[in-house]
Amino acid sequence: MPFEFNTIGVDDGIAMGHDGMLFSLPSREIIANSIETVMNAHKLDAMIAIPNCDKIVPGMIMGALRVNVPTIFVSGGAMKKGYKKDGTPIDLATAFEAVGKFEKGDISENELYDIECSSCPSGGSCSGMFTANSMNTLSEALGIALPGNGTILALTPEREKLLRTAAKRICEIAKSSQETYNKFRIKNILNEKAIKNAFVVDMAIGGSSNTVLHMLAIAREAGVDFNLSNINEISKSISHIAKISPSLSTVHMEDINRAGGVSAVIKEISKRGSKFLDLSNLTITGETLEERVANATIKDTNIIHTIENPYSKVGGLAILYGNLAEEGAVVKTAGISPDMRKFKGKAICFDGQAEAIEGIKSGKVKAGDVVVIRYEGPRGGPGMQEMLSPTSLNMGMGLGESVALITDGRFSGATRGASIGHVSPEAAEGGMIGLLQDGDEIYIDVDTYEISVNLSDEEIATRKANFTPKVKELSSRWLKQYRALVTNASSGAALKAD
């Protein structure tokens, strides 16, 4: 007997730019808890999960892992790309960056309005490789979704067929023998090999930096010992072969689907022979990953490159370490121009996103600066709100190629440029980012995985001795609970349960 229930879902587009965004990442935990609650309370035998937006996907996966029944994921599908009147492809990132261009006077209000009305032309998860589409794509690599889950457009006959196929498959498993049923419990599919496979694909496509946060939390729920430091080892062995908006504004999910989809990406990167890609792992359809991608081919090498012609010989995400991020920081290298991979600049510090937005708009940030936004981590925010506005303003105001930005918060999947997030330890727990002062010299080298501040050990010790982290006043009982239980970004911002 089918039984339908819903979870909550925060729309980041509506929550962006005000304190509503503080509730976005915490909603992942509510979603996981609600899945666990209903599935256990009603003793349901199997589950078909229909997510789309970014916290919903990992929240559902986390909840499903706790319950450990056979589960298939099938998202609502990706959004079509939009077009300006001149035929230029556009999307959500275009709209946010257009605000910066308007503030600078580069475009008129009518041009801004045209972009606003055209950037999101249909239903579905925003059309680039932003966080939602990144997670829906990784669900294929994890083996818990059907081929095409991450790339087939919403509201199309192909998407409806995928949904019907997924529903039929989960019913087959639910009614199967006990041996077959046990074989397809989600933890038998989403295991250590699957986690590594997902990160391999993430590197190949240059997914959202938020995937790191979510995959660390998923690994924890799966009982897999996977640390932030493992990611660079995977990155070194995987070629970056697909650039999708926001890293390349002309390419969107529908283009990846047309060029062969995730299966073509997996098949191509398997040719490099990385020890981290294990094609023997089981998928929810009953075949191994190797069998699934056996006949996949790249249909357009301008969209999905070959391993002989990659965008980069290393993956599209990197973890940086140094005295500024002793437990790590995350950067989407796929979105950085070659001239910004090594950068040195003076810190200009803001205690929160709102302060940073005003500073950027007022012209306080100049070429050569490193914008520091702190007290936006899981605990300091609290909630680690997504920051698309500051990075989009930098881009729109022409600073994207001359200004770096670091934060203990996180970015939208639509962010591009030298934007380094998840700095851990965060300011609220006494991390170095909280000790920075305007004018401190910060050094960033993506290729050597380094982020540091040019201060002596003695100066750092002095600042630490005189430092007391700021604690924000909160009226929300839920955010108070979240702040008390959440770990930092290097642990996936998972909640402590012990």
Side-chain angles (χ1 to χ4, degrees):
M1 177 184 291
F3 183 89
E4 182 179 339
F5 66 96
N6 298 315
T7 69
I8 63 165
V10 171
D11 185 319
D12 285 359
I14 296 172
M16 191 76 69
H18 57 86
D19 60 8
M21 183 53 77
L22 297 175
F23 292 87
S24 180
L25 183 60
S27 74
R28 184 187 74 182
E29 311 308 316
I30 296 175
I31 292 164
N33 290 343
S34 66
I35 295 285
E36 180 184 10
T37 298
V38 176
M39 290 297 293
N40 280 333
H42 293 168
K43 298 300 179 188
L44 301 173
D45 297 311
M47 181 167 68
I48 178 169
I50 310 175
N52 227 30
C53 283
D54 51 357
K55 263 66 63 184
I56 301 172
V57 186
M60 285 188 171
I61 295 174
M62 290 161 67
L65 285 165
R66 295 176 192 175
V67 178
N68 197 27
V69 298
T71 305
I72 194 166
F73 277 73
V74 56
S75 76
M79 182 185 291
K80 294 179 182 178
K81 57 186 169 184
Y83 292 93
K84 291 170 67 175
K85 289 179 179 177
D86 64 3
T88 303
I90 60 174
D91 54 39
L92 175 73
T94 316
F96 273 87
E97 290 179 13
V99 175
K101 291 180 180 179
F102 174 70
E103 291 284 347
K104 192 182 175 187
D106 287 349
I107 63 173
S108 68
E109 187 171 354
N110 285 339
E111 289 174 300
L112 176 61
Y113 182 71
D114 175 41
I115 291 170
E116 179 187 357
C117 292
S118 306
S119 58
C120 296
S122 73
S125 46
C126 297
S127 57
M129 189 57 78
F130 311 142
T131 309
N133 286 330
S134 295
M135 289 306 303
N136 286 324
T137 295
L138 297 192
S139 293
E140 292 188 47
L142 288 169
I144 58 176
L146 300 175
N149 180 68
T151 57
I152 295 174
L153 291 182
L155 305 174
T156 61
E158 293 79 13
R159 175 58 61 173
E160 182 177 338
K161 181 180 179 182
L162 192 77
L163 285 155
R164 292 183 182 278
T165 303
K168 181 180 179 181
R169 176 57 183 160
I170 201 65
C171 289
E172 288 173 351
I173 296 171
K175 295 187 290 184
S176 66
S177 67
Q178 191 64 50
E179 181 182 0
T180 300
Y181 177 90
N182 289 337
K183 177 181 177 181
F184 290 103
R185 289 181 185 271
I186 190 169
K187 282 190 175 181
N188 290 333
I189 296 172
L190 207 167
N191 49 28
E192 183 176 1
K193 291 187 287 186
I195 294 289
K196 290 178 179 177
N197 287 343
F199 272 114
V200 164
V201 172
D202 210 4
M203 296 300 161
I205 61 175
S208 163
S209 59
N210 286 319
T211 57
V212 175
L213 196 71
H214 297 320
M215 287 304 302
L216 289 173
I218 288 168
R220 179 172 172 159
E221 296 288 355
V224 173
D225 183 16
F226 189 94
N227 298 313
L228 196 63
S229 58
N230 300 138
I231 293 173
N232 286 341
E233 293 306 308
I234 296 176
S235 178
K236 291 172 186 175
S237 71
I238 299 299
S239 301
H240 178 208
I241 62 171
K243 269 197 178 187
I244 307 110
S245 180
S247 300
L248 186 59
S249 63
T250 56
V251 178
H252 294 81
M253 299 309 296
E254 60 195 270
D255 301 309
I256 295 295
N257 190 61
R258 174 177 54 81
V262 178
S263 292
V265 171
I266 295 173
K267 180 70 175 293
E268 186 63 24
I269 57 178
S270 71
K271 296 175 184 177
R272 185 167 166 180
S274 170
K275 66 180 181 180
F276 298 105
L277 181 63
D278 192 328
L279 297 180
S280 69
N281 208 36
L282 180 68
T283 71
I284 190 66
T285 48
E287 60 201 349
T288 64
L289 197 57
E290 182 175 25
E291 291 167 336
R292 173 179 285 191
V293 305
N295 298 318
T297 58
I298 299 175
K299 299 175 182 176
D300 186 343
T301 55
N302 292 316
I303 301 298
I304 301 173
H305 286 203
T306 63
I307 59 169
E308 291 82 20
N309 181 37
Y311 286 103
S312 169
K313 291 183 179 180
V314 295
L317 292 167
I319 311 301
L320 310 186
Y321 291 95
N323 64 3
L324 188 43
E326 294 177 341
E327 296 175 13
V330 181
V331 62
K332 183 174 180 175
T333 58
I336 300 179
S337 69
D339 293 341
M340 292 293 288
R341 293 180 76 89
K342 185 180 290 187
F343 189 84
K344 185 185 289 183
K346 301 292 185 182
I348 180 165
C349 302
F350 301 102
D351 291 345
Q353 177 181 221
E355 203 176 286
I357 290 172
E358 288 307 311
I360 295 168
K361 281 184 176 180
S362 67
K364 191 175 180 181
V365 177
K366 308 293 184 185
D369 286 340
V370 177
V371 176
V372 178
I373 306 178
R374 57 198 178 193
Y375 295 103
E376 291 293 3
R379 189 183 302 173
M384 204 179 185
Q385 64 177 319
E386 196 167 86
M387 288 181 284
L388 179 55
S389 296
T391 54
S392 297
L393 279 171
N394 273 343
M395 284 291 177
M397 296 179 78
L399 297 170
E401 302 299 317
S402 59
V403 167
L405 191 154
I406 68 171
T407 180
D408 52 9
R410 65 191 180 94
F411 299 110
S412 164
T415 293
R416 61 191 176 102
S419 303
I420 299 161
H422 308 199
V423 172
S424 301
E426 61 175 293
E429 56 181 338
M432 186 66 221
I433 191 171
L435 307 180
L436 293 177
Q437 297 174 5
D438 286 353
D440 286 344
E441 186 178 76
I442 294 173
Y443 177 72
I444 299 163
D445 190 332
V446 172
D447 296 316
T448 60
Y449 308 107
E450 183 180 351
I451 181 168
S452 58
V453 57
N454 186 17
L455 294 174
S456 67
D457 291 342
E458 292 77 15
E459 174 63 18
I460 293 173
T462 299
R463 292 190 189 184
K464 282 185 177 180
N466 297 305
F467 179 69
T468 302
K470 294 183 178 181
V471 179
K472 291 183 182 178
E473 293 270 344
L474 293 175
S475 59
S476 166
R477 291 180 62 83
W478 165 224
L479 290 182
K480 287 178 182 177
Q481 293 171 33
Y482 184 83
R483 180 168 64 186
L485 294 173
V486 72
T487 59
N488 71 26
S490 69
S491 300
L495 297 190
K496 292 177 283 190
D498 301 321

mmCIF file of all heavy atoms in Angstrom, residues 79-92 94-95 110-122 127 252:
data_model
loop_
_atom_site.group_PDB
_atom_site.id
_atom_site.type_symbol
_atom_site.label_atom_id
_atom_site.label_comp_id
_atom_site.label_asym_id
_atom_site.label_seq_id
_atom_site.Cartn_x
_atom_site.Cartn_y
_atom_site.Cartn_z
ATOM 1 N N MET A 79 15.910 22.733 -14.282
ATOM 2 C CA MET A 79 15.229 23.825 -14.979
ATOM 3 C C MET A 79 15.864 24.071 -16.351
ATOM 4 O O MET A 79 17.054 23.851 -16.544
ATOM 5 C CB MET A 79 15.343 25.098 -14.126
ATOM 6 C CG MET A 79 14.659 26.330 -14.678
ATOM 7 S SD MET A 79 14.992 27.792 -13.637
ATOM 8 C CE MET A 79 14.082 27.360 -12.155
ATOM 9 N N LYS A 80 15.065 24.542 -17.288
ATOM 10 C CA LYS A 80 15.611 25.001 -18.560
ATOM 11 C C LYS A 80 16.459 26.251 -18.331
ATOM 12 O O LYS A 80 16.227 27.012 -17.398
ATOM 13 C CB LYS A 80 14.486 25.365 -19.531
ATOM 14 C CG LYS A 80 13.612 24.220 -19.981
ATOM 15 C CD LYS A 80 12.516 24.745 -20.919
ATOM 16 C CE LYS A 80 11.591 23.632 -21.366
ATOM 17 N NZ LYS A 80 10.501 24.154 -22.236
ATOM 18 N N LYS A 81 17.440 26.453 -19.205
ATOM 19 C CA LYS A 81 18.162 27.726 -19.151
ATOM 20 C C LYS A 81 17.296 28.818 -19.772
ATOM 21 O O LYS A 81 16.408 28.552 -20.600
ATOM 22 C CB LYS A 81 19.489 27.619 -19.900
ATOM 23 C CG LYS A 81 19.392 27.198 -21.354
ATOM 24 C CD LYS A 81 20.777 26.987 -21.945
ATOM 25 C CE LYS A 81 20.700 26.303 -23.316
ATOM 26 N NZ LYS A 81 22.041 26.009 -23.853
ATOM 27 N N GLY A 82 17.549 30.057 -19.357
ATOM 28 C CA GLY A 82 16.842 31.183 -19.929
ATOM 29 C C GLY A 82 17.662 31.850 -21.020
ATOM 30 O O GLY A 82 18.808 31.479 -21.270
ATOM 31 N N TYR A 83 17.073 32.841 -21.666
ATOM 32 C CA TYR A 83 17.780 33.588 -22.710
ATOM 33 C C TYR A 83 17.450 35.068 -22.597
ATOM 34 O O TYR A 83 16.303 35.453 -22.325
ATOM 35 C CB TYR A 83 17.357 33.101 -24.100
ATOM 36 C CG TYR A 83 17.795 31.704 -24.435
ATOM 37 C CD1 TYR A 83 16.958 30.610 -24.192
ATOM 38 C CD2 TYR A 83 19.046 31.468 -25.000
ATOM 39 C CE1 TYR A 83 17.360 29.324 -24.502
ATOM 40 C CE2 TYR A 83 19.451 30.176 -25.321
ATOM 41 C CZ TYR A 83 18.603 29.110 -25.069
ATOM 42 O OH TYR A 83 19.010 27.837 -25.371
ATOM 43 N N LYS A 84 18.471 35.900 -22.799
ATOM 44 C CA LYS A 84 18.238 37.332 -22.942
ATOM 45 C C LYS A 84 17.621 37.587 -24.321
ATOM 46 O O LYS A 84 17.582 36.696 -25.175
ATOM 47 C CB LYS A 84 19.555 38.096 -22.792
ATOM 48 C CG LYS A 84 20.118 38.069 -21.384
ATOM 49 C CD LYS A 84 21.518 38.625 -21.318
ATOM 50 C CE LYS A 84 21.578 40.105 -21.615
ATOM 51 N NZ LYS A 84 22.946 40.646 -21.434
ATOM 52 N N LYS A 85 17.180 38.809 -24.538
ATOM 53 C CA LYS A 85 16.541 39.136 -25.811
ATOM 54 C C LYS A 85 17.484 38.957 -26.997
ATOM 55 O O LYS A 85 17.050 38.707 -28.118
ATOM 56 C CB LYS A 85 16.017 40.577 -25.765
ATOM 57 C CG LYS A 85 14.800 40.739 -24.856
ATOM 58 C CD LYS A 85 14.316 42.177 -24.814
ATOM 59 C CE LYS A 85 13.084 42.306 -23.922
ATOM 60 N NZ LYS A 85 12.620 43.716 -23.808
ATOM 61 N N ASP A 86 18.809 39.059 -26.713
ATOM 62 C CA ASP A 86 19.779 38.887 -27.804
ATOM 63 C C ASP A 86 20.188 37.437 -28.001
ATOM 64 O O ASP A 86 21.068 37.129 -28.817
ATOM 65 C CB ASP A 86 21.017 39.751 -27.558
ATOM 66 C CG ASP A 86 21.794 39.336 -26.304
ATOM 67 O OD1 ASP A 86 21.409 38.346 -25.656
ATOM 68 O OD2 ASP A 86 22.780 40.020 -25.973
ATOM 69 N N GLY A 87 19.565 36.501 -27.250
ATOM 70 C CA GLY A 87 19.839 35.085 -27.409
ATOM 71 C C GLY A 87 20.919 34.536 -26.505
ATOM 72 O O GLY A 87 21.225 33.338 -26.563
ATOM 73 N N THR A 88 21.497 35.360 -25.646
ATOM 74 C CA THR A 88 22.525 34.906 -24.719
ATOM 75 C C THR A 88 21.919 34.008 -23.638
ATOM 76 O O THR A 88 20.945 34.407 -23.001
ATOM 77 C CB THR A 88 23.213 36.109 -24.039
ATOM 78 O OG1 THR A 88 23.755 36.968 -25.037
ATOM 79 C CG2 THR A 88 24.314 35.649 -23.092
ATOM 80 N N PRO A 89 22.470 32.806 -23.399
ATOM 81 C CA PRO A 89 21.945 31.948 -22.334
ATOM 82 C C PRO A 89 22.173 32.592 -20.960
ATOM 83 O O PRO A 89 23.250 33.147 -20.697
ATOM 84 C CB PRO A 89 22.771 30.662 -22.467
ATOM 85 C CG PRO A 89 23.377 30.714 -23.825
ATOM 86 C CD PRO A 89 23.574 32.160 -24.135
ATOM 87 N N ILE A 90 21.171 32.527 -20.104
ATOM 88 C CA ILE A 90 21.276 33.094 -18.752
ATOM 89 C C ILE A 90 20.630 32.160 -17.741
ATOM 90 O O ILE A 90 19.913 31.218 -18.095
ATOM 91 C CB ILE A 90 20.640 34.502 -18.648
ATOM 92 C CG1 ILE A 90 19.136 34.459 -19.005
ATOM 93 C CG2 ILE A 90 21.373 35.496 -19.520
ATOM 94 C CD1 ILE A 90 18.426 35.784 -18.772
ATOM 95 N N ASP A 91 20.898 32.441 -16.455
ATOM 96 C CA ASP A 91 20.347 31.624 -15.376
ATOM 97 C C ASP A 91 20.312 32.443 -14.090
ATOM 98 O O ASP A 91 20.491 33.669 -14.115
ATOM 99 C CB ASP A 91 21.164 30.340 -15.198
ATOM 100 C CG ASP A 91 22.647 30.613 -15.008
ATOM 101 O OD1 ASP A 91 22.996 31.585 -14.316
ATOM 102 O OD2 ASP A 91 23.478 29.863 -15.561
ATOM 103 N N LEU A 92 20.098 31.770 -12.985
ATOM 104 C CA LEU A 92 20.003 32.436 -11.686
ATOM 105 C C LEU A 92 21.245 33.272 -11.389
ATOM 106 O O LEU A 92 21.144 34.402 -10.895
ATOM 107 C CB LEU A 92 19.833 31.376 -10.586
ATOM 108 C CG LEU A 92 19.838 31.889 -9.147
ATOM 109 C CD1 LEU A 92 18.556 32.624 -8.837
ATOM 110 C CD2 LEU A 92 20.052 30.742 -8.168
ATOM 111 N N THR A 94 23.217 34.743 -13.421
ATOM 112 C CA THR A 94 23.187 35.959 -14.237
ATOM 113 C C THR A 94 22.376 37.046 -13.553
ATOM 114 O O THR A 94 22.762 38.219 -13.540
ATOM 115 C CB THR A 94 22.560 35.664 -15.613
ATOM 116 O OG1 THR A 94 23.067 34.443 -16.132
ATOM 117 C CG2 THR A 94 22.842 36.793 -16.590
ATOM 118 N N ALA A 95 21.249 36.641 -12.965
ATOM 119 C CA ALA A 95 20.367 37.608 -12.320
ATOM 120 C C ALA A 95 21.041 38.256 -11.118
ATOM 121 O O ALA A 95 20.971 39.477 -10.928
ATOM 122 C CB ALA A 95 19.062 36.927 -11.906
ATOM 123 N N ASN A 110 15.735 48.652 -16.902
ATOM 124 C CA ASN A 110 14.978 47.817 -17.846
ATOM 125 C C ASN A 110 15.746 46.552 -18.214
ATOM 126 O O ASN A 110 15.158 45.471 -18.330
ATOM 127 C CB ASN A 110 14.655 48.615 -19.111
ATOM 128 C CG ASN A 110 13.543 49.617 -18.898
ATOM 129 O OD1 ASN A 110 12.745 49.481 -17.963
ATOM 130 N ND2 ASN A 110 13.487 50.639 -19.741
ATOM 131 N N GLU A 111 17.077 46.681 -18.389
ATOM 132 C CA GLU A 111 17.892 45.506 -18.690
ATOM 133 C C GLU A 111 17.915 44.543 -17.507
ATOM 134 O O GLU A 111 17.854 43.320 -17.678
ATOM 135 C CB GLU A 111 19.318 45.939 -19.039
ATOM 136 C CG GLU A 111 19.441 46.629 -20.389
ATOM 137 C CD GLU A 111 20.830 47.176 -20.632
ATOM 138 O OE1 GLU A 111 21.288 48.032 -19.841
ATOM 139 O OE2 GLU A 111 21.464 46.747 -21.608
ATOM 140 N N LEU A 112 18.004 45.089 -16.300
ATOM 141 C CA LEU A 112 17.963 44.256 -15.097
ATOM 142 C C LEU A 112 16.633 43.514 -15.016
ATOM 143 O O LEU A 112 16.588 42.315 -14.701
ATOM 144 C CB LEU A 112 18.172 45.120 -13.849
ATOM 145 C CG LEU A 112 18.063 44.414 -12.499
ATOM 146 C CD1 LEU A 112 19.113 43.319 -12.366
ATOM 147 C CD2 LEU A 112 18.204 45.423 -11.348
ATOM 148 N N TYR A 113 15.547 44.206 -15.312
ATOM 149 C CA TYR A 113 14.213 43.600 -15.254
ATOM 150 C C TYR A 113 14.074 42.490 -16.291
ATOM 151 O O TYR A 113 13.496 41.426 -16.010
ATOM 152 C CB TYR A 113 13.154 44.671 -15.480
ATOM 153 C CG TYR A 113 11.727 44.155 -15.385
ATOM 154 C CD1 TYR A 113 11.182 43.773 -14.158
ATOM 155 C CD2 TYR A 113 10.933 44.040 -16.523
ATOM 156 C CE1 TYR A 113 9.882 43.301 -14.067
ATOM 157 C CE2 TYR A 113 9.636 43.564 -16.450
ATOM 158 C CZ TYR A 113 9.121 43.200 -15.212
ATOM 159 O OH TYR A 113 7.833 42.725 -15.129
ATOM 160 N N ASP A 114 14.631 42.708 -17.481
ATOM 161 C CA ASP A 114 14.591 41.682 -18.535
ATOM 162 C C ASP A 114 15.297 40.414 -18.082
ATOM 163 O O ASP A 114 14.799 39.297 -18.272
ATOM 164 C CB ASP A 114 15.241 42.237 -19.803
ATOM 165 C CG ASP A 114 15.340 41.191 -20.915
ATOM 166 O OD1 ASP A 114 14.376 40.431 -21.090
ATOM 167 O OD2 ASP A 114 16.381 41.148 -21.600
ATOM 168 N N ILE A 115 16.470 40.585 -17.458
ATOM 169 C CA ILE A 115 17.228 39.426 -16.968
ATOM 170 C C ILE A 115 16.455 38.727 -15.856
ATOM 171 O O ILE A 115 16.357 37.496 -15.825
ATOM 172 C CB ILE A 115 18.619 39.875 -16.478
ATOM 173 C CG1 ILE A 115 19.472 40.326 -17.664
ATOM 174 C CG2 ILE A 115 19.317 38.748 -15.708
ATOM 175 C CD1 ILE A 115 20.767 41.006 -17.284
ATOM 176 N N GLU A 116 15.893 39.512 -14.947
ATOM 177 C CA GLU A 116 15.120 38.944 -13.835
ATOM 178 C C GLU A 116 13.962 38.092 -14.333
ATOM 179 O O GLU A 116 13.693 37.006 -13.812
ATOM 180 C CB GLU A 116 14.590 40.081 -12.953
ATOM 181 C CG GLU A 116 13.754 39.624 -11.776
ATOM 182 C CD GLU A 116 13.103 40.775 -11.032
ATOM 183 O OE1 GLU A 116 13.334 41.936 -11.395
ATOM 184 O OE2 GLU A 116 12.341 40.510 -10.085
ATOM 185 N N CYS A 117 13.292 38.565 -15.367
ATOM 186 C CA CYS A 117 12.106 37.861 -15.874
ATOM 187 C C CYS A 117 12.444 36.649 -16.745
ATOM 188 O O CYS A 117 11.597 35.788 -16.954
ATOM 189 C CB CYS A 117 11.232 38.826 -16.676
ATOM 190 S SG CYS A 117 10.452 40.119 -15.691
ATOM 191 N N SER A 118 13.684 36.584 -17.234
ATOM 192 C CA SER A 118 14.039 35.548 -18.202
ATOM 193 C C SER A 118 14.986 34.483 -17.665
ATOM 194 O O SER A 118 15.191 33.459 -18.319
ATOM 195 C CB SER A 118 14.690 36.194 -19.436
ATOM 196 O OG SER A 118 13.869 37.196 -19.989
ATOM 197 N N SER A 119 15.566 34.708 -16.489
ATOM 198 C CA SER A 119 16.647 33.829 -16.034
ATOM 199 C C SER A 119 16.172 32.465 -15.551
ATOM 200 O O SER A 119 16.928 31.496 -15.588
ATOM 201 C CB SER A 119 17.453 34.521 -14.932
ATOM 202 O OG SER A 119 16.621 34.882 -13.853
ATOM 203 N N CYS A 120 14.943 32.369 -15.075
ATOM 204 C CA CYS A 120 14.405 31.097 -14.564
ATOM 205 C C CYS A 120 13.091 30.814 -15.282
ATOM 206 O O CYS A 120 12.008 31.093 -14.753
ATOM 207 C CB CYS A 120 14.203 31.173 -13.047
ATOM 208 S SG CYS A 120 15.729 31.397 -12.112
ATOM 209 N N PRO A 121 13.154 30.246 -16.497
ATOM 210 C CA PRO A 121 11.962 30.183 -17.356
ATOM 211 C C PRO A 121 11.009 29.028 -17.100
ATOM 212 O O PRO A 121 9.965 28.946 -17.761
ATOM 213 C CB PRO A 121 12.578 30.057 -18.750
ATOM 214 C CG PRO A 121 13.848 29.313 -18.519
ATOM 215 C CD PRO A 121 14.357 29.773 -17.186
ATOM 216 N N SER A 122 11.358 28.097 -16.199
ATOM 217 C CA SER A 122 10.472 26.943 -16.011
ATOM 218 C C SER A 122 10.584 26.436 -14.588
ATOM 219 O O SER A 122 11.362 26.952 -13.783
ATOM 220 C CB SER A 122 10.852 25.820 -16.989
ATOM 221 O OG SER A 122 12.059 25.198 -16.585
ATOM 222 N N SER A 127 19.157 26.025 -13.354
ATOM 223 C CA SER A 127 19.651 25.296 -14.516
ATOM 224 C C SER A 127 21.150 25.015 -14.588
ATOM 225 O O SER A 127 21.590 24.262 -15.441
ATOM 226 C CB SER A 127 19.239 26.043 -15.788
ATOM 227 O OG SER A 127 19.729 27.381 -15.746
ATOM 228 N N HIS A 252 24.688 24.462 -19.558
ATOM 229 C CA HIS A 252 23.734 24.187 -18.492
ATOM 230 C C HIS A 252 23.392 22.693 -18.458
ATOM 231 O O HIS A 252 23.894 21.921 -19.274
ATOM 232 C CB HIS A 252 22.484 25.052 -18.679
ATOM 233 C CG HIS A 252 22.755 26.516 -18.520
ATOM 234 N ND1 HIS A 252 23.283 27.281 -19.540
ATOM 235 C CD2 HIS A 252 22.618 27.342 -17.443
ATOM 236 C CE1 HIS A 252 23.451 28.530 -19.110
ATOM 237 N NE2 HIS A 252 23.065 28.589 -17.854
#
